Amino acid sequence: MKQRENFGSKLGIIMATAGSALGLGNIYRFPCEAGANGGGAFLIVYLAVALLVGTTLMLSEFIIGRRSRSNPIGAFRALEGKKNGWMAIGWLGVVCAFLILAFYTTVAGWTLGYLGKAAANHFEGQDLAQIQVQFSSFTTHPWLPIVCQLAFLALTAVVVARGVKDGIEKWSKILMPLLLVIMVVLCIKSLTLPGASQGMSFFFKPDFSKINGDVLISALGQSFFSLSIGMGALITYGSYIGAKDNMVSSSVSVVLADTLVAILAGIIIFPAAFSFGIKPEAGASLVFTTLPMVFQQMTGGYFFCLIFFVLLVIATLTSTISLLEVIVAATTEEMHLSRTKAAILGTVVTAVIGLLATLSFRTGSPLHINGKIFFDLLDSVTALYLMPLGGLFIVLFVGWRMKKADAIDELTNGGTLRIGIRKVIYYLIRYMAPVAILVIFISQLLQ
Ligand code: PHE
C-alpha cells in the first residue's frame, strides 16, 4: 500500500488548518458580508454559528478524514462502501473546490496586483476618488487581473505539487502569526482616525430588528466559507492527522483564531470606512479602497502597506493550497495520476472557470445571470447552498450513520484521551449542528 503523508506535529495541523481557514474569507469577504447585512446584527449571528456549528463541523470532517485516511470521495467509499449514495458528498466537495478556487483566485489575483501597487507606491497622496478609480480600472483592465489570477494559480500549483508537508506546513507556521501582529497595528491606527467610533458602533451594536432570513443564511455561509468547512477540505487535511494528535483542541484553536482575525478585520475596516466616507455596503471595493486610505494616514505607511499585502498574499495562498489539495488528493487517489499531473489538470480546469469570474467584473460584460455577475453567482452558489448542504450531510453522517463507538474512538484517540467534554461534542454533532443548519435553511426559504 502507498504510504500516505502525515502532518509532522500537532502545531503542524493547527497551522495548516489555520492556513486554510485564514484568508480572503476573513479579510475581504467578512467585511463585505457584515457591511451588507447590518454590521452588528450580522456579527452576533456569525459568532454563534461559527463557534457552535463551525467547531462541531470541523471536528466531524477531521473524524471522517482520519478514520478513512482518504480524500473526500474515497473517504465515504472507505467508510460506507460504493452502494449507497454517501460518496456523492465527496463528489460535491470536489466540485465545490473547483468552483470556489475559480472565483477565489480572482480576488487572490487582485491581492497580487495590489502588492505590486504597494511596492510601486501608487497610493501616496491620492484622494479617495482617485483610489476608487484605481480599483475599478485595475479590476476591469483588459489583461492585468487575468495575468495576476493565472500567476496566483501557478504559484498554488507549484506548492501543491511538492507535497503536503514541505509545502503547506512550512509556510503557515512562520507567517500566520506575523499577519496577526500587523493586523493589530492596523486596528490601533484605524481606531484613532476621526469619526472611528461610528464605525465601531455599526460593527458592534447589533440592531436585532435587522436579523432576518437573509442575515441568517449569509452568516451561516460566511462561517462555512471562512472556516473552510462543508466541502471536504478538512476531510482531506484530517486524513493527514496523526493517530495521537488531539483533534478537539486543534479545532477549537483554529475556530478561535479564525474568528479573531475576522473581528480584527472588522475593527480595521469599519472605523476607517466611516472615517473616510466609504459606505459599509460598498462590496467588492470596500477593502481595496479602505486599506490604502488607512496606510496613507500612517507614518511608515509605505512600509506597512507593503508588508500587509505580502502577508495577505501568503494567507490567501495557504487557502488556495488547501482548495487545490482537495482536487489533487481526489485525482491522485481516484484516477491514479501523479501529484504533478493532478496539480496541472486541476489548475487548467480551474483557470477556465476562473477567467470567466474575473472577466465578469467588466462593465457591459455579458457574464450576467439573473442580474448577478458570474463571480457573485459562484460565490453564492458555493457559500450559501453547496457548503451548508455538504455540511449538513457531514454532521448527519458522523452523528447518525457512523457507529457511535467509532466516532467516540476518533474523538478520544482510541480511548487514550478523557471522554468528558468530548461526549457533549458528540451530541452537539448529532443534534445541535443539523438542527441549526436546517432551521437557517428553512427560515430563508420561508422568507
Ligand atoms: N477559508 C478560506 C478563507 O477564509 C477559504 C476556503 C474555503 C478555503 C473553502 C478552503 C475551502 O479565505
Side-chain angles (χ1 to χ4, degrees):
M1 207 185 106
K2 197 176 94 227
Q3 185 71 29
R4 281 186 114 243
E5 264 188 295
N6 272 352
F7 287 133
S9 63
K10 173 160 172 226
L11 191 65
I13 315 163
I14 296 182
M15 285 304 175
T17 311
S20 170
L22 299 182
L24 295 173
N26 308 65
I27 294 165
Y28 165 82
R29 199 177 186 281
F30 178 81
C32 285
E33 291 293 299
N37 289 291
F42 180 87
L43 179 64
I44 281 271
V45 184
Y46 179 81
L47 288 177
V49 178
L51 298 178
L52 287 171
V53 183
T55 314
T56 46
L57 187 48
M58 185 175 279
L59 266 169
S60 304
E61 293 203 29
F62 282 166
I63 291 174
I64 296 175
R66 189 169 70 176
R67 192 90 194 153
S68 64
R69 293 251 171 255
S70 186
N71 71 83
I73 300 172
F76 286 99
R77 183 179 47 238
L79 301 177
E80 267 301 317
K82 275 190 197 161
K83 294 228 180 62
N84 53 35
W86 287 100
M87 266 171 80
I89 310 300
W91 280 104
L92 181 72
V94 176
V95 169
C96 220
F98 273 114
L99 299 180
I100 296 174
L101 195 55
F103 77 88
Y104 198 84
T105 48
T106 297
V107 185
W110 297 352
T111 63
L112 215 51
Y114 267 63
L115 174 59
K117 281 178 177 289
N121 207 5
H122 276 188
F123 308 123
E124 203 184 271
Q126 300 256 301
D127 61 21
L128 179 63
Q130 287 168 315
I131 285 198
Q132 283 167 332
V133 169
Q134 277 204 49
F135 177 75
S136 57
S137 41
F138 176 76
T139 52
T140 56
H141 189 278
W143 48 264
L144 209 50
I146 295 178
V147 171
C148 290
Q149 179 180 32
L150 293 179
F152 208 102
L153 263 170
L155 208 62
T156 308
V158 170
V159 182
V160 170
R162 290 185 46 195
V164 188
K165 241 166 82 180
D166 284 356
I168 302 168
E169 267 189 72
K170 228 190 305 179
W171 286 94
S172 313
K173 249 188 230 172
I174 319 162
L175 295 158
M176 290 303 106
L178 208 58
L179 180 67
L180 216 67
V181 174
I182 197 153
M183 286 187 75
V184 171
V185 174
L186 281 173
C187 279
I188 296 169
K189 180 69 213 175
S190 196
L191 287 174
T192 53
L193 290 168
S197 61
Q198 251 182 308
M200 285 301 272
S201 27
F202 172 78
F203 187 43
F204 283 111
K205 269 214 195 112
D207 173 355
F208 289 101
S209 68
K210 289 215 172 111
I211 299 181
N212 58 23
D214 280 339
V215 172
L216 290 178
I217 192 91
S218 304
L220 181 80
Q222 174 58 24
S223 62
F224 277 44
F225 189 86
S226 187
L227 293 169
S228 313
I229 51 186
M231 45 72 67
L234 300 187
I235 295 183
T236 310
Y237 275 18
S239 75
Y240 308 130
I241 296 179
K244 293 204 184 107
D245 292 318
N246 186 334
M247 301 197 292
V248 175
S249 63
S250 304
S251 323
V252 172
S253 320
V254 173
V255 172
L256 290 179
D258 190 78
T259 308
L260 177 69
V261 172
I263 293 176
L264 288 180
I267 301 179
I268 297 168
I269 300 295
F270 293 116
F274 274 83
S275 173
F276 299 125
I278 299 170
K279 288 213 166 59
E281 321 74 49
S285 66
L286 181 63
V287 169
F288 288 92
T289 50
T290 308
L291 283 173
M293 291 296 290
V294 176
F295 289 119
Q296 238 186 32
Q297 314 280 318
M298 287 171 87
T299 15
Y302 173 81
F303 173 74
F304 278 114
C305 184
L306 195 60
I307 308 208
F308 176 81
F309 278 107
V310 169
L311 293 173
L312 182 59
V313 164
I314 291 163
T316 306
L317 185 63
T318 51
S319 301
T320 53
I321 288 169
S322 73
L323 284 159
L324 187 59
E325 180 64 23
V326 174
I327 297 167
V328 166
T331 35
T332 48
E333 292 173 11
E334 301 299 312
M335 292 162 58
H336 308 289
L337 290 182
S338 70
R339 277 193 81 83
T340 308
K341 280 203 187 118
I344 295 175
L345 182 71
T347 305
V348 171
V349 176
T350 307
V352 174
I353 318 172
L355 286 184
L356 298 179
T358 302
L359 290 174
S360 71
F361 275 93
R362 288 200 200 172
T363 23
S365 133
L367 295 159
H368 282 69
I369 299 166
N370 272 344
K372 267 193 173 171
I373 62 169
F374 186 60
F375 174 96
D376 287 336
L377 191 75
L378 288 177
D379 176 293
S380 37
V381 163
T382 49
L384 303 187
Y385 300 103
L386 300 185
M387 296 171 94
L389 195 69
L392 176 63
F393 282 105
I394 287 168
V395 284
L396 286 176
F397 183 80
V398 174
W400 296 90
R401 180 78 199 166
M402 233 173 142
K403 281 203 202 89
K404 182 177 172 189
D406 290 352
I408 296 281
D409 189 61
E410 283 300 326
L411 284 171
T412 58
N413 290 358
T416 56
L417 298 173
R418 245 186 339 129
I419 176 91
I421 185 84
R422 294 183 171 79
K423 203 160 182 180
V424 180
I425 290 176
Y426 178 76
Y427 285 104
L428 291 178
I429 294 175
R430 191 169 155 102
Y431 297 106
M432 187 272 308
V435 169
I437 298 172
L438 271 173
V439 165
I440 293 180
F441 252 138
I442 293 169
S443 77
Q444 214 248 353
L445 289 181
L446 289 181
Q447 201 177 23

